[in-house]
Every structure is written in structure tokens, then in C-alpha cells.
Amino acid sequence: MTGVDDPGAPRGLYTLADYATRACAALPRATWDFLEGGAGEERTLAANTDAFDRARLLPRVLSGVGRPDTATRILGRTWAAPLAVAPLAYHTLAHPSGEVATARAAGRAGLPFVVSTFAGRTFEDIAEAADAPLWLQVYCFRDRALTRELVARAERSGFEALVLTVDAPRLGRRLRDLRNGFRLPEGVTPANLTGDGFASPADHARAAFDDTLDWSVVDWLRSISSLPVLVKGVLTAADAHRALAAGADAIVVSNHGGRQLDGVPATLDVLPEVAAAVAGDCPILLDGGVRRGHDVLSALALGADAVLLGRPVLHGLAVGQEDGVGQVLDMVIEELAEAMTFTGTATAGEAGPHLVAAPTDSHRPAPHPTGAARAALPPPAPVRSGSDGFALSKEELHGSVRDPVLDTMTFLNEITHRYPDAISFAPGRPYDGFFEAEHVFEYLRRYLDHLEAGGASPEQIRSALFQYGPTSGQIRELIADSLRKDEGIDVTPESVVVTVGCQEAMLLVVRALVSGPEDALLVSSPCYVGITGAARLLDVEVTPVEEGRGGFDCAVLEAALLAERARGRRPRAFYAIPDHSNPSGATMPLSTRRELLALADRHDMLILEDTPYRMVSPGTQLPTLKALDRRRRVVHLGSYSKTLFPGARVGFVVADQTVVDAQGRTGLLADELTKIKSMVTVNTSPVSQAVVAGMLLAADGRTSRLNTRTAAHYGEAMRVTLQELDRSFPESDRTALGVRWNEPSGGFFLAVDVPFRADDSALIRSAEEFGVIWTPMSYFYPRSGGDFSLRLSVSYLTHQEISDGVERLARFIKAQAG
């Protein structure tokens, strides 16, 4: 490491304060004052650091955490730690290498770097040096063409997001600079701006910043760039709501603009209020006063997903150039890991309010605590409010009730009911035209006759319908027979558990296999929300395995497995829908199925195979993973909702894996699932089982016979949808708009890529103005992704509705893109 005042490695630099001291001594006084800011900034910084000092982390003993995993994932990228370099002007004042050196150091550390509009090096030079994500801090100028060009240059250079600074319509009077008569030194200029008179950012801001901005600027930025937009400067719940409504992809809690106000609240104090308002709808970052790993974990505990580190980076740059910045970042990450270890926090995602102690009286900010202080107070007791009766705070309920994944289907249902005249491509429901009410009684009688023919007495038949019945199910023999005839899956009835739909099967399996935070559940991403929802209810963190445009890739799964093992976690299972998947419609090739089974065996892992769409798809289907399984690596999840009778809510799980207890006794995984089921639903409705059994008996166990007509219908619906898309989007239009879709060979779903963000606000416009409803693909990504894609379900509509719906969809896409 080389510094401005020491050609060797700096010694005795153990804290960020040490770097500040050395940087102050190394830099000219006027430069130091400029970098540190004015009196208002000192007060703001003092408020921020004081708030972090008040946040006391609670130690946890005998947690068995070991080396914690500091990694986090934000806006589709994994960071080495929940930490990024904050935007600061003119790194070249600290050292001529400036932002290039900072970018290299951030890349080495695996952390993003938010580059200031007033960078001293060009975006192109910075991007060439960077190995980690770059974001651009955007000040919106009165000359929108200038802002547009800056954004375009950053996007061409590979920047990945825009951070719109909304809290500083002007930079204010910087008293230190006035007293020092500070002007930028020769050769130090805003490298990405042109023009005269750039003595300082404040000079340019007074002349050029647009101080009439309103929330429409977010939409304007989204119209000129495909990059995500973060809004930096939010300090209240009201502004957090406005940012979300305006379409912000993330929020940065920052009091940068408060430097000119007395009594501005500390960012940590307002963070819980903002986090509660956002309720997980987008990532939250915090900027201001971060000086230790303790501060990072405190911010995570109180609602942030990551923090920004500012001036200490410049101090490191001044003292040791690129290596100095790297040591500063490494120091904070190491301190964060230590804080996580002492608090028993295995992963960054596990941080929560339980880590922070309530403040003592000597530290309590009174009389009206807000933010961190409010969050640390004992929760209010439930209250009665007049005739409304007993009331509960939603914050006191399990976190899953606030999780967006549990809101997705509710939101779609609300949209559908709000716009009843719209054509909906959203529900993945079977077509109603195949069902006749009288069939229920016919199939029920068929099963009762079967029981009687098998020697059951009237009392036994009555009990089979009216009593609870065995927890594992009373039609297991028929299901095992059907699997053998339909799928070539040869298992004993004892390995089958009959469930309340396939959703319960997922819940049982996840609960049985994942015993603690060290166990990892991997899912193909995008994936069905049922599995991620079940995991969320059980507080199980899922690890997404990203699919490419060509579908699932075993190499990506293996890399994810190895990464989990490197984190000290044990991969337990991988969930996938190999055939005509929900949501993408993709089908896994036979060679990939064999490769996946070999990979599972190699890594001692189970595969959770979900197969709802095989029998309702035309043509010969590839063998299931379970049919190919010779090592009992596959837990097969099945449902009769799509193939026989959705209202019956009958599913099943085939779990023939051997389980050995501490005494060496063996049993089946199915037995363990039955124990869990007895505490969840007790049993699956005997009446529902009886109707399904009658349907199986009517077809001699071959559901494929019952679905000859339905498979042809759904295949034709998919063909018509693809045909109408081709008609509505000729090749020239597709190329010009950037619209494309896949062509599934069966199932209910296909994915369409569009040139705009296919989010809830776009969906509302589509339903309201164009009369067509679809599902945002982002719903199906466990962390992030799918922002520019939508899912179409073709199963529930007539051919005429499909034709009309695609025509409406095409008009919407063209209008939204324009």
C-alpha cells in the first residue's frame, strides 16, 4: 500500500478514525475542509453517528454460527456484504487516481460503487476499471438533455442503476469553502460535464440544478433508461409511499439535504418508520454516519437491506490509494462479520429488531421517540377501539403476513374483480367446460361400489365417507397403481401420502427436510410461488438457481450448491417443475434430467419434482425424474387439481426414502410426513378422496385416458395464443419493440419479454385502459428478476377470448413502449 505521505504500508491504522486522522494530515487544509463539508454537514454527521452509538446490539451465546455469511443480493446482484461505496464528488481531490482506484478496490471487495455526477474521472474510465456493479448518482439539471446524455453514457458504459438524489435541490452555502476561498485545483474538473465555471459542485448546482422537481421525475428517468431507479433522500413514511407509487425500485434513507436544517433527524432514527412503510416492497439502503461493522448490522436490524459508506472511502484513498480504499472496505466487512458472530447472526438476511436492545433511560431520546428509539420501545399492548373490538398490530404478527410473495395472488384477484370486463391471462385454472355437476355423484358411487366389492361392510363404507380416516390417506393403493400405469413409477402404497392439494405436500416436505438455518433449500428461478410461500411461512431461506433463456442448467445448480457449502450450509433439496413449468412453460430435456439425477447423487441431495401439467399436455411426455430415479433421490409431488377435479383439492407426495433413527430403526420419509400432517390438517377430506378414487377407477387408473380431450384442448389453446402473438407482432415489430416470447410444447403458461417494466402499475394500466390482465414475471423470482417479462396463462379462456385478449395486449404493449 502506498499513501500520499508514506511510501510504505501505513502502520497503526486500526479504525476508520485512524484513516481520517492520517488523511487530514496528508491533505491541504482547504481540500480537507471541502471533502468534509460545512457546519451543517458536521451537525448531520454528529446526529447520525450518535444514533448508531445509541443502538446497542445484544450478544447471543452458544449460537454455533461459526463464520457468518455477509453476502446479500440486491437488484439482481449478489454483494459480498450489505455495503456499497456512497456517491462523493471528486475522488481526484484525495488522489489523482480518483474514482478509478476506488472502483478497482470496490471490485476486489465485491461491493458496488455509486459514482457521483461530479466524478473526477470519466464514466468510461471508471467502468473499465470496475469488477463490481456501478451505479450512477443522478442530479437532475434544468437542462434535461444534459441529464439524459449523462444517463445514456453511464448506461453505455455498463452502469447498472440510477440513484436519483431528491433531497438536495441546491447544495447550500458551504461556509468552510467561503472562508477558505476554495476553488477546485488545476486539473480537477467534473470529468463528465462540459462547460465553464465549474469552480465547485455548489457553483454549478446554484446555476444548473432543477429546483422545481416533483415525483414525475422518477417516471421521466424510467422513460429515458431501462436501468432501475433508486430514490435517495427519503426520511419519512409519507415520502417512502410516494417513492413506491412513483415507481422507485429502491429507496435510500439519507439526510444529505438536511445539512442546511437544524434538528434534522438521524437516518437510523427514521429507518424503522420508512421500513414499515415500504413493508418489503423494495430494497432499502441507508446513507450517513456508518463508521463500523456494528453500524452496518444495526442498520440491517432496523430495516435496511444495505448501507452506503462515504467519507471513510476518501480517507482511505488519500492515505493509501487503491489499497487504502480496499483496507477500509475490508475493515468494515470484517467488523460486520464479528458483530454477526457475537449476535448469533448466521446470514445478513437473518438480522432483525431482536438484535437491538431497548435504550436505557440515559440514552432514550425523549419526549417523542421516533425511528430506532420507537422500534426499540416495548410493543404497545393490543387495544380496544370503540365498537371495533379487539385490535392487533400487524407488526406483531409473523413476518410472512407482510411478505410480498403472499400478496401476489391476492393482488391479482383484486385486479380481476375490479375489472370484470377485462380478459384475464392471469389464472392458471383448468377450463370449466370439462366439468358436469352430476359427475361428482357418479364417481362417488363408483368408489362406494369398489369398497363394497372389496368386502367392506356398510359400517366401514359409512366410516370411509364420514369419519376422519387415516392421516396418510385412504386411496394410496389407487394412487400407486395409477402412477405405475401412467408414469412408470413403481412404488409401494406405503410411500404415498395423500395431501390437501400439492401445496400441503410442499409444506410437509420442506418442514421435514429443513431442520435449521444451516440447511439450504434451492429452487429453480423463476419458480412457482407455492414453494417460496411455503418456505416463507416456515422461515426457510430459499436459494434461487437462475434459469437462462435456454432453461435450467445443471452447471448453474452445481455452482449454487458449492456456494452454499462454502457458506457452511448443507444443501438439502432442489425444487423444480421439469415439464411445462409454472411460470415459464419450459421443459427439461431428457439429457438434463439424467444429469440432474447424477448431480443430486454426487452432492447427496434430494430433488423435489412437481408435475401438475404432464397429463394435460398434448403428445408423448418425457419420463418423470421419479421414473428415472434409481437411487431414491426424488421426492415426487403430485396433484389431481389440473388432471381430474380442482375443487376436490387432492394431491399427494411419493416419499420412499429410507429414514434411520438414532437406534438404527428404519422407516420411510412418508411416515415422517404423515406425523407432520397429523398436526396440520389431520387428514385429507374422505369425500374428496372418494370422488378422485372414483375417477381413477373409471379410467382403470390411467389419468391419461381421462385427459385425452383436455390435453388436446390446452394444446390447441397454446397454439392459438402463439398464432395470435405472431399475427399481432410481425417480425419487424418484434425487432423494433424488443418483444419476444417462448413457445412451450404444453402446459398452461408462456413468458413474454417486453421493453418496459412489467410491474403492478403497468398491470393496472393494462387492465384499466386496455381491458387485459396478465401476471408480472417478477412475482416468480425469489429475490429479484423478471422485471421486463410477463406471464400469460392460456388454460381458462376460449379461442375467441384469446384472440381478443392478445389484440388488447398488443395495443397495450405498443402504447406502453411508446
Side-chain angles (χ1 to χ4, degrees), residues 586-620:
T587 293
M588 190 182 294
L590 179 60
S591 59
T592 303
R593 296 174 192 233
R594 297 187 188 280
E595 185 181 358
L596 175 58
L597 288 168
L599 187 152
D601 204 39
R602 190 163 65 248
H603 287 277
D604 194 23
M605 179 189 69
L606 292 174
I607 301 167
L608 310 184
E609 178 187 30
D610 193 0
T611 59
Y613 306 106
R614 290 172 53 80
M615 292 297 141
V616 292
S617 297
T620 302

Side-chain angles (χ1 to χ4, degrees), residues 137-183:
Q137 180 209 26
V138 177
Y139 285 111
C140 200
F141 298 105
R142 291 193 185 98
D143 181 358
R144 289 291 178 93
L146 174 60
T147 307
R148 184 193 297 266
E149 175 56 26
L150 288 171
V151 169
R153 280 183 55 199
E155 192 164 4
R156 287 195 301 270
S157 298
F159 284 50
E160 298 183 13
L162 306 176
V163 182
L164 174 65
T165 296
V166 298
D167 60 347
R170 56 180 295 157
L171 296 187
R173 299 173 71 242
R174 297 170 58 94
L175 297 181
R176 287 183 179 182
D177 297 346
L178 293 173
R179 291 175 181 141
N180 292 331
F182 178 76
R183 291 292 181 268

Side-chain angles (χ1 to χ4, degrees), residues 81 89 149 233 267 276 344 366 380 457 467 485 545 599 655 699:
E149 175 56 26
T267 51
S457 67
Q467 283 296 345
K485 293 174 177 176
V545 179
L599 187 152

